[in-house]
């Protein structure tokens, strides 16, 4: 087993929305456009979904893994009046660049890689903005799992980002997340036999199995004043939802416009069509923004 193989579990992407071809039998109330845009020295490729009546707009940000554009999620959002740019992750699909991840024996949560992914997301925002009408509602970022580290960095890079939506996004450092992940060890019944206090103590005291510079999203979040919505599953064994919520409460107390919803019976995949409540909550929340981009 390669040294970094275990990181494959780390904040896996919501693959249920990673479909790359829309249902040809559907009659959409939106148009699609294939686009290419630059991010540093590479070219990324994606698709813009543009509703006839736009209430808001966003870029979809991947979780971990060699993920292509998320057509299913983009279609659902576009049907609800939200314009979307979804693109193939760097090194995946038609996008250029080198993919970093456990499948190829490298560390996908190294700070350098997360910063590159944030740069890609920021440039995707610029591309989407260039294709939108003057009145397009609020423009933001929506992401899954690992994107909880990527999106706050991207938002600090691009002042046009007006909001954030994060499904199961960690509000702890990368090393803290790994300590928790090793502790749960993929056991779906973990919370039946362990307490939140035990998990927190393990995260606080466990020795790190990997040595690399940690990325702590709170360092970026404290610089931001844009609204953010986090959607957590109470039975998540990839990230400790209660600790993440506690960290958000600290940021709220400092005046940050961050909010969250906890779905006690869900696990890490809070963006599943089998449990649509988190997705519906996110869509409703985005539609509360006024056309000026402010709540």
């Amino acid at each position: 087993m390669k040294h970094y193989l275990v990181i494959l579990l780390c904040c896996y992407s919501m693959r249920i929305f990673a479909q790359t071809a829309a249902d040809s039998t559907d009659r959409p109330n939106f148009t699609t456009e294939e686009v290419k845009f630059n991010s540093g020295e590479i070219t990324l490729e994606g698709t813009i979904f543009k509703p006839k009546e736009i209430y808001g707009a966003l870029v979809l940000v991947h979780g971990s893994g060699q993920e292509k554009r998320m057509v299913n999620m983009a279609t659902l959002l576009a049907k609800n009046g939200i314009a979307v740019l979804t693109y193939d992750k760097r090194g995946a699909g038609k996008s250029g660049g080198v993919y970093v991840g456990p499948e190829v024996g490298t560390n996908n949560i190294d700070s350098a890689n997360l910063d590159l992914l944030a740069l890609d997301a920021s440039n995707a925002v610029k591309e989407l903005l260039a294709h939108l009408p003057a009145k397009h509602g609020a423009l933001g970022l929506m992401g899954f799992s690992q994107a909880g580290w990527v999106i706050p960095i991207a938002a600090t890079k691009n002042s046009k980002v007006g909001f954030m939506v994060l499904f199961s996004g960690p509000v702890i450092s990368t090393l803290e997340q790994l300590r928790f992940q090793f502790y749960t060890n993929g056991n779906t019944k973990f919370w039946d036999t362990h307490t939140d206090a035990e998990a927190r103590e393990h995260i606080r005291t466990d020795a790190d199995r990997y040595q690399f510079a940690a990325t702590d999203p709170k360092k970026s979040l404290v610089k931001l004043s844009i609204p953010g919505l986090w959607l957590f599953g109470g039975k998540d064994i990839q990230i400790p939802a209660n600790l993440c919520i506690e960290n958000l409460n600290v940021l709220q107390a400092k005046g940050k416009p961050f909010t969250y919803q906890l779905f006690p019976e869900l696990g890490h995949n809070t963006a599943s069509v089998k449990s649509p409540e988190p997705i519906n909550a996110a869509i409703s929340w985005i539609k509360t923004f006024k056309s000026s981009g402010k709540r």
Side-chain angles (χ1 to χ4, degrees):
M1 181 179 291
K2 292 183 179 180
H3 186 60
Y4 284 112
L5 184 58
V6 70
I7 300 181
L8 178 62
L9 287 175
C10 173
C11 293
Y12 59 84
S13 185
M14 305 304 181
R15 292 178 180 270
I16 196 164
F17 289 116
Q19 179 180 319
T20 56
D23 184 356
S24 60
T25 64
D26 197 13
R27 296 180 179 275
N29 60 346
F30 57 86
T31 59
T32 60
E33 179 182 358
E34 304 300 301
V35 295
K36 298 180 181 180
F37 58 97
N38 295 327
S39 184
E41 298 179 352
I42 71 167
T43 300
L44 302 173
E45 296 195 28
T47 306
I48 291 176
F49 291 68
K50 189 183 297 182
K52 294 178 181 178
E53 185 174 1
I54 299 176
Y55 297 102
L58 59 83
V59 168
L60 289 174
V61 181
H62 311 84
S64 65
Q66 291 176 289
E67 300 301 330
K68 299 179 182 179
R69 61 200 78 179
M70 293 172 273
V71 171
N72 280 356
M73 176 61 91
T75 299
L76 175 61
L77 293 168
K79 287 180 177 179
N80 281 275
I82 300 170
V84 180
L85 169 54
T86 179
Y87 58 95
D88 297 335
K89 196 175 187 177
R90 63 166 52 219
K94 295 182 179 180
S95 287
V98 177
Y99 169 74
V100 175
E103 303 96 321
V104 294
T106 47
N107 183 355
N108 61 346
I109 57 173
D110 177 82
S111 58
N113 185 56
L114 293 176
D115 195 66
L116 277 177
L117 296 177
L119 177 66
D120 295 346
S122 175
N123 284 313
V125 168
K126 296 176 184 178
E127 179 67 17
L128 177 57
L129 189 59
H131 291 262
L132 293 177
K135 293 184 178 181
H136 53 70
L139 175 63
L141 294 168
M142 174 187 284
F144 314 93
S145 196
Q146 190 186 83
W149 295 310
V150 175
I151 285 178
I153 301 172
T156 63
K157 293 178 180 291
N158 193 327
S159 62
K160 298 298 184 180
V161 176
F163 66 88
M164 306 174 288
V165 178
L166 302 107
F167 291 83
S168 302
V171 195
I172 55 173
S173 76
T174 48
L175 287 176
E176 288 173 320
Q177 189 277 330
L178 281 180
R179 294 173 204 158
F180 178 71
Q181 179 182 301
F182 285 125
Y183 189 40
T184 62
N185 196 32
N187 178 12
T188 57
K189 302 295 184 181
F190 175 84
W191 290 113
D192 293 343
T193 56
H194 295 78
T195 67
D196 185 63
E198 289 172 339
R200 289 176 184 238
E201 181 64 14
H202 186 87
I203 292 169
R204 188 182 68 83
T205 62
D206 191 37
D208 292 318
R209 302 189 190 186
Y210 300 101
Q211 301 301 318
F212 59 91
T215 296
D216 188 341
K218 298 189 294 297
K219 291 182 179 179
S220 295
L221 292 173
V222 76
K223 301 176 184 178
L224 297 172
S225 298
I226 60 175
L229 171 65
W230 280 255
L231 301 141
F232 296 109
K235 295 183 177 180
D236 199 327
I237 57 171
Q238 298 293 317
I239 63 168
N242 288 332
L243 179 57
C244 291
I245 287 172
E246 182 176 293
N247 289 335
L248 284 175
N249 285 335
V250 171
L251 291 165
Q252 282 181 333
K254 295 179 179 179
K256 298 300 177 182
F258 303 154
T259 189
Y260 57 83
Q261 291 191 40
L262 177 67
F263 299 87
E265 299 305 312
L266 297 185
H268 192 63
N269 193 356
T270 49
S272 170
V273 292
K274 294 181 179 179
S275 301
E277 292 85 0
I279 298 171
N280 291 338
I283 291 172
S284 296
W285 185 79
I286 292 168
K287 286 185 173 182
T288 64
F289 289 89
K290 296 179 180 178
S291 60
S292 65
K294 297 183 183 295
R295 289 177 69 86

